[in-house]
Amino acid sequence: MKRRALLALAPGAAWAQARLPTVERSRLQLLGPWEMPSLARQRGVRVYLPPSYLLDPSRQFPVIYFHDGQNVFDEATSYAGEWGADETLDRLAAQTGFEAIAVAIDHGGEQRLRELNPWNQERQGAGEGWAYLRFIVEVVKPQIDARLRTRRGAAQTAMVGSSMGGLITHAAMHRHREVFGLGAVFSPSFWVAPAAFDLPELMPLRAGQRIYLYAGSEESPELVPQCRRMAALQRAQGAAVQLQVTAGAGHNEAAWRAALPQALRFLFQIA
């Protein structure tokens, strides 16, 4: 897998005025670090610009928010392999004409398990997931919308995550349903947080939300039944839910990378 350098920009840097050596390099950029309100820490954000972004200044694009940003675009920064989201989006653009901006929020290292869990957990301590989601909704998304040509409605705003990132994506679809109309929930860590099953009743989905729910058959024996249960709860609320159970797939980036194109086609209804 090729390694693609990220161009770091200060929070106030003007995108259009940056001196970039090539169009290819300018399509992957690093923003921040930005302050995380109530968490007393900072976080970097990685951004992918679609092929026509720099070529068509009148066009606006949907936005896809990813967790574990170090794993999304570049194997060199990943701790477990990369999603190859930039290559997937480039291929979709070439094959279908669909283009989107991708925004990848870096994980917090030793804080990751708390940040991606809204609920308290005996081993990891107090959950920080609701504060982490506020950072995305109140800091990251407004900054992205202000700096880039985005389509801002919920029907054009997706969130994607796996494992603990899948758990927090599930939570976002319920807690911030007016912001995120689309969600890809890969291999969610429901076992960590049984309270996740209370969200459909406590924070009902909106009719028209679209959710891609994924599990591999070689993950924990509880995962597939849990995902089937969650899909039934969410469908009962009028959400369009596609449950994908992949035979032979384990709990890893390679499996999620392989399923990402299908997830995006479902969420954005790409023919």
Side-chain angles (χ1 to χ4, degrees), residues 64-233:
I64 307 166
Y65 290 87
F66 288 84
H67 308 290
D68 293 319
Q70 296 96 325
N71 296 7
V72 174
F73 302 124
D74 195 340
E75 188 173 358
T77 59
S78 168
Y79 66 88
E82 65 161 297
W83 282 67
D86 47 346
E87 288 92 346
T88 291
L89 287 167
D90 281 352
R91 280 194 299 271
L92 281 175
Q95 295 167 358
T96 71
F98 171 80
E99 296 188 29
I101 296 167
V103 178
I105 298 99
D106 281 358
H107 65 73
E110 64 182 19
Q111 289 93 15
R112 178 179 180 271
L113 295 181
R114 294 192 301 275
E115 283 185 1
L116 299 183
N117 189 353
W119 299 279
N120 298 339
Q121 210 262 344
E122 183 176 354
R123 291 181 60 186
Q124 299 299 330
E128 300 174 336
W130 300 130
Y132 170 78
L133 287 177
R134 286 199 303 274
F135 167 64
I136 298 175
V137 171
E138 298 175 5
V139 177
V140 178
K141 187 176 189 300
Q143 287 278 1
I144 294 299
D145 287 342
R147 294 165 181 262
L148 297 176
R149 301 190 307 275
T150 63
R151 296 181 181 177
R152 304 181 183 187
Q156 298 294 323
T157 306
M159 180 175 282
V160 177
S162 63
S163 192
M164 291 299 294
L167 179 66
I168 198 67
T169 298
H170 165 76
M173 293 297 293
H174 287 271
R175 181 64 171 263
H176 296 288
R177 51 200 177 275
E178 77 289 350
V179 177
F180 303 104
L182 313 172
V185 179
F186 287 88
S187 307
S189 297
F190 288 145
W191 66 272
V192 172
F197 288 91
D198 297 333
L199 289 187
E201 179 179 356
L202 296 175
M203 303 173 185
L205 295 174
R206 288 184 170 186
Q209 284 184 278
R210 300 179 66 81
I211 299 172
Y212 177 90
L213 188 55
Y214 171 95
S217 68
E218 300 307 303
E219 302 188 65
S220 69
E222 298 86 7
L223 181 61
V224 172
Q226 288 174 335
C227 287
R228 294 191 190 282
R229 177 187 172 194
M230 187 62 74
L233 292 172

Side-chain angles (χ1 to χ4, degrees), residues 220-255:
S220 69
E222 298 86 7
L223 181 61
V224 172
Q226 288 174 335
C227 287
R228 294 191 190 282
R229 177 187 172 194
M230 187 62 74
L233 292 172
Q234 293 175 325
R235 285 170 178 153
Q237 296 188 326
V241 181
Q242 178 173 318
L243 174 60
Q244 172 66 37
V245 178
T246 299
H251 191 87
N252 53 62
E253 271 71 16

